[in-house]
């Protein structure tokens, strides 16, 4: 490799240069993701009426350390509220100087959740971008796929409000990226965060054990899962002791979600359900329809068996929760890969990448 100062760079220097360039590129993509999210979610953060959402009020209570009265469905999802509480303290000091009337309200916590969720969701977006590149998409197409995912109405909802969905999307993004790249670090992070992000992580575990074996063999995965499960059990035991809840209450609550299946199926097969699914990514779905008309290979190759089974895992989440759109957004890694590959390979989109004609 030529040296700007003369001579030739050594292979080691060339490697360091390429690594530095790659990290600068990834940082640029991450900043882009933060910008896309922060701007679109700001209105949600400022103007949302919290009387409409029990979820948001529950997570605000958890961030204040108040677990009593919080639904058992939500009270064990502590990482995001805990980090938001830590961020809220310096924010509150600033508010005390600038807006004293807001310092003693929920505004510092609301801003902290907005900051934390935006940064976490942008991290998930960066992993999705990398997954698109690993699947063979061009960088511009991967960037457009990133924008398609992060401008979803559910991204705005997740980043702008005191919710914890950002962490669970990060878990899915880590899982998909680990299976594609063979990254053991990504898989370990997924396993450690998963049980604390949402209890339904149990439905993702079989997918990890089979499709993420390039990153870690299943015996090593089981060892990490056991360690993560032990920490999750300790956290649950501590919270149950705080609120005086019997341990079996969480099991009964988990089994109670089975009653949502009939309702979710009826809703999914209705016109309203179809509209809710369409609203996840909006008119970006039309790009996938174009790919389906052109060639099935544009769908089947990027999906492969791992992507198809991951969509089934997402479907299980949708049916058990009853919230089709919100849980359907977990399919973002698969959607982004298919979207970016259609843009990369479909003849109708080649003009996007064509070099401008010389005068």
């Amino acid at each position: 490799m030529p040296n700007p100062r003369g001579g030739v760079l050594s292979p080691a220097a060339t490697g360091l240069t390429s690594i530095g360039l790659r990290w600068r590129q990834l940082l640029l993509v991450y900043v882009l993701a933060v910008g896309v999210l922060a701007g679109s979610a700001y209105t949600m953060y400022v103007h949302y009426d919290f009387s409409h959402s029990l979820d948001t009020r529950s997570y605000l209570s958890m961030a204040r350390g108040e677990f009593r009265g919080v639904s058992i469905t939500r009270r064990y999802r502590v990482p995001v509220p805990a980090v938001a509480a830590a961020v809220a303290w310096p924010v509150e000091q600033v508010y005390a100087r600038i807006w004293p009337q807001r310092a003693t309200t929920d505004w510092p916590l609301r801003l902290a959740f907005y900051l934390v969720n935006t940064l976490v969701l942008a991290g998930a977006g960066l992993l999705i971008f990398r997954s698109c590149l690993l699947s063979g998409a061009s960088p511009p197409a991967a960037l457009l796929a990133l924008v398609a995912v992060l401008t979803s109405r559910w991204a705005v909802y997740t980043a702008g409000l005191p919710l914890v969905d950002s962490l669970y999307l990060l878990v899915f993004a880590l899982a998909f990226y680990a299976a594609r790249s063979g990254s053991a670090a990504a898989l370990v992070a997924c396993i450690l965060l998963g049980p604390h992000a949402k209890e339904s992580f149990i439905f993702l575990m079989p997918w990890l054990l089979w499709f993420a074996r390039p990153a870690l063999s299943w015996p090593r995965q089981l060892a990490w899962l056991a360690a993560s499960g032990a920490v999750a059990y300790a956290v649950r035991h501590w919270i149950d002791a705080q609120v005086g809840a019997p341990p079996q209450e969480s099991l009964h609550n988990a089994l109670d979600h089975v009653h949502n299946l009939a309702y979710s199926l009826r809703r999914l097969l209705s016109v309203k359900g179809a509209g809710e699914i369409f609203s996840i990514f909006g008119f970006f779905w039309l790009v996938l329809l174009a790919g389906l008309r052109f060639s099935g290979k544009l769908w089947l190759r990027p999906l492969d068996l791992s992507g198809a089974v991951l969509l089934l895992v997402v479907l299980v989440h949708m049916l058990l929760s009853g919230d089709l759109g919100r849980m359907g957004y977990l399919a973002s890694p698969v959607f982004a890969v298919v979207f970016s590959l259609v843009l990369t390979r479909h003849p109708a989109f080649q003009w996007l990448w064509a070099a401008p004609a010389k005068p």
Side-chain angles (χ1 to χ4, degrees):
M1 180 177 177
N3 188 340
R5 298 181 179 178
V8 178
L9 292 175
S10 67
T14 302
L16 289 174
T17 301
S18 62
I19 291 173
L21 179 61
R22 186 181 68 177
W23 278 106
R24 287 197 296 271
Q25 291 170 339
L26 293 178
L27 179 60
L28 182 62
V29 173
Y30 182 74
V31 170
L32 172 66
V34 171
V36 169
L37 281 168
S40 58
Y42 181 78
T43 303
M44 182 70 71
Y45 148 69
V46 172
H47 297 295
Y48 187 74
D49 184 358
F50 282 79
S51 64
H52 295 316
S53 173
L54 180 59
D55 285 19
T56 55
R57 299 198 301 274
S58 295
Y59 293 125
L60 285 171
S61 296
M62 290 170 60
R64 291 191 293 265
E66 301 167 1
F67 293 92
R68 192 177 299 275
V70 175
S71 168
I72 190 172
T73 303
R74 293 179 284 272
R75 69 181 177 218
Y76 303 116
R77 303 167 187 172
V78 295
V80 173
V83 175
V87 173
W89 187 84
V91 171
E92 186 176 341
Q93 310 313 307
V94 175
Y95 268 46
R97 294 178 179 274
I98 301 176
W99 295 304
Q101 68 277 14
R102 287 190 174 187
T104 56
T105 66
D106 283 335
W107 278 103
L109 268 179
R110 288 171 61 176
L111 179 56
F113 270 103
Y114 167 63
L115 295 174
V116 171
N117 281 328
T118 296
L119 295 175
V120 171
L121 204 55
L126 180 60
L127 290 169
I128 290 172
F129 171 80
R130 288 286 298 148
S131 298
C132 292
L133 295 183
L134 290 171
S135 301
S138 66
L143 278 176
L144 288 175
L146 174 67
V147 171
V149 166
L150 296 186
T151 53
S152 166
R153 75 184 184 100
W154 291 107
V156 173
Y157 189 82
T158 300
L161 298 179
L163 295 171
V164 299
D165 295 48
S166 61
L167 184 62
Y168 203 40
L169 181 65
L170 177 64
V171 167
F172 268 72
L174 283 166
F176 196 67
Y177 175 74
R180 296 262 158 166
S181 66
S183 171
L187 182 56
V188 170
C190 171
I191 292 172
L192 292 178
L193 292 172
H196 306 280
K198 193 161 282 192
E199 295 74 15
S200 50
F201 175 73
I202 191 172
F203 299 112
L204 184 62
M205 286 166 48
W207 188 93
L208 293 174
L209 291 170
W210 183 258
F211 293 107
R213 286 174 299 166
L216 278 179
S217 62
W218 66 264
R220 292 184 178 182
Q221 286 192 53
L222 287 175
W224 280 106
L225 284 168
S228 181
V231 174
Y233 177 79
V235 171
R236 283 170 169 264
H237 179 74
W238 179 82
I239 293 175
D240 286 341
Q242 300 298 309
V243 300
Q248 64 271 19
E249 186 180 0
S250 59
L251 178 61
H252 295 159
N253 178 70
L255 295 175
D256 198 46
H257 280 71
V258 177
H259 299 152
N260 291 332
L261 286 174
Y263 164 78
S264 298
L265 279 172
R266 288 196 304 269
R267 189 174 180 183
L268 181 62
L269 299 176
S270 67
V271 175
K272 185 176 181 180
E276 189 169 352
I277 299 301
F278 180 80
S279 72
I280 299 174
F281 300 112
F283 287 97
F284 290 113
W285 285 112
L286 300 181
V287 172
L288 271 62
L289 292 179
L292 187 62
R293 286 193 59 188
F294 173 67
S295 171
K297 293 180 180 179
L298 291 178
W299 272 79
L300 298 178
R301 284 184 180 175
L303 271 179
D304 61 43
L305 186 58
S306 65
V309 176
L310 189 62
L311 291 180
L312 290 178
V313 174
V314 174
L315 179 63
V316 170
H317 282 71
M318 294 165 63
L319 295 178
L320 287 176
S321 72
D323 202 339
L324 302 180
R326 190 170 168 184
M327 291 296 103
Y329 186 58
L330 295 174
S332 292
V334 179
F335 172 86
V337 166
V338 178
F339 182 93
S340 62
L341 288 180
V342 171
L343 288 182
T344 301
R345 299 171 180 173
H346 198 294
F349 301 108
Q350 295 308 301
W351 62 272
L352 288 170
W353 330 122
K358 294 183 178 180

